[in-house]
Amino acid sequence: MKVVAGPSSQDLAHKVAEQLSVGLVESSWKHFPDGEFYFRFDEDVSGEELIIVQSLYPPQNEHIFELLTIAHTAKDLGASKIVVFAPYLAYSRQDERYLPGEAITSKLLAEILCRIGIDAIYTVDIHNLKVLEYYRVPAYNLVASPLIVRYFVESRGVSKPFLLAPDDEEAAIKRVEEASKALGGVPYDALEKRRDRYTGMIETREKLLEVKGMDVIIIDDIISTGGTAANAARISKKMGARRVYVGVTHALLRGDALKLMEEAGVDEVVSTDSVPAITTKISVAPLLREALIGKPQL
Ligand code: R5P
């Protein structure tokens, strides 16, 4: 088994190889002046089991095409097994037809990857678990929230926090539940959020939260504009929270997201290396190790 480092996740791929104690495949890639992608395996990969590490954060269309090129080339050259590790699986919010005639882009991506001939895909904190059903090969979601909350406890001295999901979707609840378990059963709750399908504007319903004098950690899969986390932070502060942290898996941080959250009372935002960002403090590489070969022996 060997790891292929995709252009979007070079550092993460090195960490994955380290965690799995396997080597990295020699490869080279570049973009031509007109933007087209060039990729080459610099060693023979026929008969080899490969893990392609390529997170699909913005510019997502570029990163997707890079992944398709690498996977297709691996298949074409006779790799015996192709596993994709795409911690941020782009287009997972376009998971169904919310308005008549809409494209289901997550399904399109799944169909192309399966047609190329990948054998399995692993992702982290996918927005909607239903997207995994579009894959005709084993597709797994890994949960990063236990790693994230442990970081706050171990590196920020946060003790007995209150965990808050900024919306009450199934995956969001699962994330706070898992994080709560990791900290021995700390309290948690979820807010109710609604999005206008035409304008994209969100509204979070205020709720009584027992957080007076407590540190709140808002757990979310994605921070894009920061609006969702800012709303949750404002409500937490109004309910008397002492400090408010945001622990997010995929920090896309568009525009003034960090400023927006800071103005809403957020003390710190911490994220994973699924998306390299100024807030990145945690690696998702151990999650893949755990999924493939189990937890490290202590
Ligand atoms: C959506 O429901 C997700 O779980 C995130 O809460 C959302 O994508 C965050 O987006 P934004 O930061 O733009 O509010």
Side-chain angles (χ1 to χ4, degrees):
M1 184 192 284
K2 277 189 159 183
V3 169
V4 183
S8 71
S9 299
Q10 296 274 301
D11 289 350
L12 174 58
H14 279 79
K15 288 187 183 130
V16 166
E18 213 174 278
Q19 285 281 328
L20 297 173
S21 304
V22 299
L24 282 155
V25 174
E26 294 289 329
S27 64
S28 28
W29 53 270
K30 65 181 176 186
H31 289 97
F32 288 106
D34 63 357
E36 287 185 0
F37 180 57
Y38 168 94
F39 179 83
R40 175 172 188 240
F41 281 112
D42 294 324
E43 62 177 76
D44 184 10
V45 293
S46 65
E48 197 68 68
E49 291 189 9
L50 301 177
I51 300 175
I52 304 172
V53 181
Q54 169 86 343
S55 202
L56 304 178
Y57 58 85
Q60 51 277 74
N61 295 345
E62 197 170 293
H63 289 153
I64 287 171
F65 195 76
E66 290 165 354
L67 172 62
L68 301 182
T69 305
I70 298 169
H72 184 267
T73 310
K75 189 74 188 173
D76 217 26
L77 291 174
S80 64
K81 187 170 181 187
I82 301 170
V83 173
V84 170
F85 182 40
Y88 181 65
L89 196 55
Y91 288 108
S92 293
R93 288 184 286 182
Q94 293 186 37
D95 49 358
E96 60 181 272
R97 209 160 267 136
Y98 294 97
L99 297 176
E102 280 183 344
I104 309 177
T105 327
S106 57
K107 189 175 176 189
L108 167 67
L109 179 59
E111 283 177 6
I112 299 174
L113 282 168
C114 291
R115 180 68 72 89
I116 285 175
I118 65 161
D119 295 280
I121 183 163
Y122 289 81
T123 187
V124 181
D125 287 330
I126 191 163
H127 179 65
N128 188 344
L129 294 165
K130 199 181 134 199
V131 170
L132 301 178
E133 291 168 19
Y134 294 139
Y135 287 81
R136 286 178 283 104
V137 295
Y140 305 97
N141 180 56
L142 311 177
V143 180
S145 52
L147 287 182
I148 294 173
V149 290
R150 269 191 223 115
Y151 175 87
F152 281 109
V153 171
E154 287 159 16
S155 306
R156 293 292 181 268
V158 175
S159 71
K160 299 200 185 118
F162 185 99
L163 309 181
L164 186 61
D167 69 66
D168 57 3
E169 303 259 337
E170 185 194 349
I173 307 264
K174 186 170 161 56
R175 279 190 289 275
V176 277
E177 273 173 2
E178 296 284 321
S180 165
K181 260 191 248 159
L183 297 185
V186 299
Y188 64 88
D189 207 338
L191 297 171
E192 200 185 310
K193 183 182 95 173
R194 274 188 310 163
R195 189 181 289 276
D196 184 309
R197 292 283 161 205
Y198 291 94
T199 64
M201 294 296 283
I202 53 152
E203 211 179 289
T204 310
R205 185 182 284 199
E206 215 168 282
K207 182 176 188 180
L208 282 177
L209 301 169
E210 306 272 320
V211 296
K212 203 166 172 29
M214 292 178 81
D215 291 342
V216 172
I217 306 176
I218 297 163
I219 305 281
D220 210 353
D221 55 341
I222 301 169
I223 299 289
S224 180
T225 63
T228 301
N231 283 0
R234 234 175 268 116
I235 294 171
S236 303
K237 278 288 183 192
K238 195 167 172 189
M239 298 298 149
R242 188 169 71 121
R243 281 178 297 192
V244 178
Y245 297 102
V246 173
V248 60
T249 310
H250 316 291
L252 302 179
L253 305 179
R254 303 285 97 185
D256 282 336
L258 282 173
K259 190 163 167 248
L260 196 69
M261 289 184 279
E262 194 188 322
E263 284 170 358
V266 172
D267 291 276
E268 188 181 358
V269 180
V270 163
S271 67
T272 77
D273 55 359
S274 154
V275 183
I278 191 173
T279 49
T280 300
K281 299 280 187 305
I282 302 154
S283 180
V284 293
L287 293 177
L288 187 65
R289 183 209 145 93
E290 209 175 308
L292 292 178
I293 55 178
K295 285 188 183 175
Q297 299 297 314
L298 294 175

